[in-house]
């Protein structure tokens, strides 16, 4: 089972209210130039089938319950990658009235990919780092 997850992680992308800069970089991973599928990764629309949750954006008060619900719907073991400065630390929005806190205060985070927005190579490195962690 562990071997299968390591060689074919299914990714779920969730935007918690970002400017879409990180989202564009995440989507570019699917293009032939970056080809995240070479790691066996596949973008999955349902949390019930996903192994890895990729979160972009600051966690707003409106979005925090949804994010928690999506995380709970994922089968265990499940992993979270925080992509971008906003999801890692709140970024420029961290002191805003509508931010509920850092992502790791809402759900556990396994890998942080900082940057505003992070380059696709950095996101790929984060996913590769997560796969290395799965090797044990």
């Amino acid at each position: 089972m562990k071997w299968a997850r390591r060689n074919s992680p299914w990714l779920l992308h969730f935007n918690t209210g970002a400017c879409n800069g990180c989202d564009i970089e995440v989507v570019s991973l699917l293009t032939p130039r970056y080809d995240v599928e070479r790691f066996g990764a596949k973008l999955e629309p349902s949390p019930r089938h996903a192994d890895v949750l990729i979160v972009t954006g600051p966690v707003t008060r409106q979005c925090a319950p949804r994010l928690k619900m999506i995380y709970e719907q994922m089968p265990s073991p499940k992993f979270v990658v925080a992509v971008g400065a906003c999801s890692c630390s709140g970024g420029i929005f961290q002191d805003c009235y509508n931010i509920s806190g850092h992502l790791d205060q809402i759900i556990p985070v396994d890998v942080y990919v900082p940057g505003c927005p992070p380059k696709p190579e950095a996101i790929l490195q984060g996913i590769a780092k997560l796969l290395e962690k799965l090797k044990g």
Side-chain angles (χ1 to χ4, degrees):
M1 187 72 157
K2 194 175 184 180
W3 173 87
R5 288 193 195 278
R6 188 180 66 232
N7 290 310
S8 62
W10 288 12
L11 314 173
L12 173 67
H13 174 217
F14 186 70
N15 180 341
T16 59
C19 66
N20 294 332
C22 296
D23 303 317
I24 291 169
E25 302 300 337
V26 168
V27 171
S28 71
L29 294 176
L30 301 170
T31 62
R33 180 173 181 150
Y34 299 106
D35 192 21
V36 73
E37 291 180 355
R38 70 185 136 147
F39 297 111
K42 171 187 164 196
L43 205 57
E44 178 59 39
S46 170
R48 292 186 176 92
H49 300 149
D51 303 309
V52 180
L53 178 62
I54 296 177
V55 180
T56 58
V59 183
T60 61
R61 289 178 191 228
Q62 182 182 19
C63 208
R66 286 187 207 139
L67 178 63
K68 225 181 236 184
M69 183 179 68
I70 287 171
Y71 180 76
E72 290 168 359
Q73 287 177 346
M74 292 173 62
S76 293
K78 49 195 164 189
F79 309 96
V80 176
V81 178
V83 174
C86 294
S87 66
C88 289
S89 65
I92 60 171
F93 303 105
Q94 65 182 337
D95 293 329
C96 289
Y97 68 94
N98 61 345
I99 300 300
S100 62
H102 294 170
L103 176 62
D104 54 9
Q105 294 170 336
I106 310 294
I107 57 174
V109 176
D110 299 285
V111 175
Y112 296 90
V113 181
C116 185
K119 293 186 179 267
E121 293 90 347
I123 301 170
L124 271 178
Q125 184 181 12
I127 291 171
K129 189 183 279 185
L130 177 66
L131 295 177
E132 284 296 317
K133 273 179 136 179
L134 294 179
K135 283 183 181 175

